[in-house]
Amino acid sequence: MNTSFSFSGIPKFEFGAGKINMLPNIASSYGTDLLLITGNSSFKKSGKLDEIIKKLTDSNIKVHTATVNKEPSPKIVDSIVDCNINNNIDIVAAIGGGSVIDAGKAVAAMLTEKSSVKDFLEGVGTKTPSGSTLPFIAIPTTSGTGSEATKNAVISEVGENGFKKSLRHNNFIPKIAILDPELTITCPSSITASSGLDALSQLIESYVSTKSTPLTDALAFDAIGKVFKALIPVSTNNPDNIELRAEMSYASFISGITLAHAGLGTVHGMASVIGGLVEAPHGLICGKLLAPWCKATIEELKKESSSESNRYLDKFVNIGKILLQTENNRNIILQNLIETLFTWEKKLGLPSLTKYGLKNNMISKIASESGNKNNPVSLTDDIKAEILTKTLV
């Protein structure tokens, strides 16, 4: 057990059905000019966005709007900032999936800076964020990235020399997160599935991370059980179940907390490189990688046969026991966990990443450029290539 660790802040949050109605009162405590960033999604098409804007204007809040319809790039962030730099914005709110919330974080920070967001990205820019930011409210409409709980915003530039990097500072944690599971009901089944698998991968990766702590373990393990219970029903035959939607909203939020404090493993290491090469949804990438990564990691841990590797195997067994509560045979438990994850991928209809432009000739580049940071065992480039090949089918 890691007995030496620290735990930094999480946002104040409001959790529960109907909590979105608190937005006008919360926003008015910070000022009268609100920049509202949304996605071009089912939430907007449902008419709920218009209802929220009306409630804000009825509360004497001037609403400025911007739309983000894909993962944010430096160009998208800079454009929103340029359009609003002279609008005397007091507060920024983002209603949408992880991409929208990441964009909102970056815009809130860059409205106080005099430079492109690209200049502040880790591994790309040369400047360190000052930490200056406008107050930011995160309101997720998907249950996936956990961005509403973290201090970083992921910014991508897709192409041969593309990247997927973070803008990061402790001050970029949202001031408030409004977690209203009713907002996720209109989320399409494909997005519910892929974002849910993203949350699950974050929870499992942080639970078996070499940086995990007793606190992150407790949070992650409980939330993994909630995803196992809720993800398939809300993605298939029971999408309107508010109790199950609440389980997923909670699990997603917890995944953001655990990834921020325990780190992630090779799934997200590979996903980051893929995200710089092709415009595939992040949740889908993680969903396609999760089962083969789990299989490869367990197989490599079994080969090591050390007290350390056995400790991580025990963690995978703990996860597997959620699915097979009355089984005591470790190998059966682990095999069932792996088979369940592969079955879920098929049951949820995750498409091949070839649909988004990922090709065989990219595999070696992705394998060599992606690391094993925090993974419980180091995976060779050849093993990573085998995992990546599974995403092409």
Side-chain angles (χ1 to χ4, degrees):
M1 183 178 74
N2 184 353
T3 57
S4 176
F5 59 92
S6 60
F7 201 89
S8 59
I10 63 173
K12 176 182 177 181
F13 64 94
E14 297 286 346
F15 187 97
K19 289 287 188 176
I20 185 64
N21 295 318
M22 297 182 68
L23 179 59
N25 284 340
I26 292 172
S28 62
S29 68
Y30 292 99
T32 58
D33 281 70
L34 168 73
L35 173 57
L36 183 61
I37 301 175
T38 64
N40 186 21
S41 66
S42 56
F43 176 74
K44 180 182 287 187
K45 295 171 185 174
S46 71
K48 291 184 178 180
L49 178 59
D50 292 336
E51 293 176 16
I52 295 301
I53 292 176
K54 184 177 187 304
K55 289 177 180 178
L56 287 164
T57 55
D58 287 347
S59 297
N60 297 316
I61 296 172
K62 185 176 181 181
V63 181
H64 309 263
T65 61
T67 299
V68 173
N69 56 19
K70 59 182 180 178
E71 294 189 10
S73 65
K75 182 178 180 180
I76 289 171
V77 172
D78 291 348
S79 175
I80 295 173
V81 170
D82 289 345
C83 289
N84 289 278
I85 194 70
N86 296 317
N87 286 340
N88 298 313
I89 303 298
D90 298 309
I91 184 170
V92 178
I95 305 177
S99 295
V100 175
I101 292 174
D102 279 351
K105 280 186 199 173
V107 168
M110 291 303 104
L111 280 169
T112 70
E113 300 282 2
K114 304 295 182 184
S115 186
S116 169
V117 68
K118 193 171 184 177
D119 296 334
F120 297 93
L121 297 180
E122 296 172 344
V124 175
T126 59
K127 297 181 179 181
T128 300
S130 66
S132 175
T133 181
L134 293 178
F136 175 61
I137 302 173
I139 309 167
T141 59
T142 64
S143 300
T145 68
S147 182
E148 64 273 14
T150 66
K151 62 184 177 181
N152 67 302
V154 180
I155 308 298
S156 306
E157 193 165 88
V158 177
E160 185 177 350
N161 298 311
F163 58 79
K164 190 166 190 156
K165 298 292 184 179
S166 282
L167 172 73
R168 190 187 312 268
H169 194 280
N170 287 339
N171 291 353
F172 298 162
I173 296 172
K175 281 287 185 185
I176 297 176
I178 298 177
L179 310 173
D180 186 339
E182 285 186 346
L183 302 183
T184 68
I185 288 177
T186 58
C187 186
S189 60
S190 60
I191 297 175
T192 296
S194 60
S195 60
L197 287 172
D198 184 21
L200 181 60
S201 68
Q202 289 171 173
L203 290 165
I204 293 177
E205 285 179 274
S206 58
Y207 181 64
V208 301
S209 166
T210 56
K211 287 174 55 182
S212 69
T213 70
L215 183 52
T216 58
D217 280 356
L219 291 169
F221 185 72
D222 175 71
I224 289 168
K226 294 183 184 304
V227 178
F228 280 170
K229 171 185 175 183
L231 179 56
I232 294 298
V234 298
S235 301
T236 55
N237 63 351
N238 206 355
D240 297 334
N241 188 309
I242 191 63
E243 289 81 13
L244 294 178
R245 288 285 186 176
E247 300 269 28
M248 289 303 303
S249 292
Y250 175 81
S252 175
F253 181 64
I254 295 300
S255 79
I257 295 172
T258 60
L259 77 84
H261 293 88
L264 298 174
T266 309
V267 168
H268 275 75
M270 292 186 287
S272 178
V273 180
I274 294 172
L277 293 173
V278 298
E279 288 193 47
H282 173 73
L284 173 61
I285 295 171
C286 294
K288 295 289 288 185
L289 290 169
L290 180 57
W293 164 82
C294 185
K295 182 176 185 291
T297 299
I298 288 172
E299 288 175 348
E300 293 305 301
L301 286 170
K302 285 182 175 180
K303 290 177 185 178
E304 290 199 353
S305 298
S306 65
S307 59
E308 188 72 359
S309 63
N310 285 331
R311 185 169 73 86
Y312 290 115
L313 275 175
D314 285 343
K315 286 193 161 188
F316 279 107
V317 170
N318 290 341
I319 296 169
K321 280 184 176 179
I322 301 173
L323 299 169
L324 285 179
Q325 295 181 5
T326 60
E327 179 61 61
N328 292 317
N329 185 299
R330 289 165 60 86
N331 287 330
I332 292 176
I333 292 168
L334 291 172
Q335 186 60 33
N336 183 69
L337 172 62
I338 294 166
E339 290 176 357
T340 296
L341 294 177
F342 276 110
T343 298
W344 278 18
E345 180 187 329
K346 292 183 176 63
K347 185 176 289 188
L348 295 171
L350 301 191
S352 164
L353 293 186
T354 57
K355 175 182 177 182
Y356 298 91
L358 190 66
K359 300 176 181 177
N360 256 316
N361 61 11
M362 300 177 179
I363 295 297
S364 60
K365 172 183 173 68
I366 298 166
S368 63
E369 292 185 4
S370 57
N372 288 293
K373 187 177 181 182
N374 307 318
N375 213 59
V377 64
S378 181
L379 302 179
T380 66
D381 287 356
D382 286 343
I383 293 172
K384 285 185 281 184
E386 288 179 19
I387 293 170
L388 289 160
T389 300
K390 300 290 187 183
T391 70
L392 301 177
V393 295

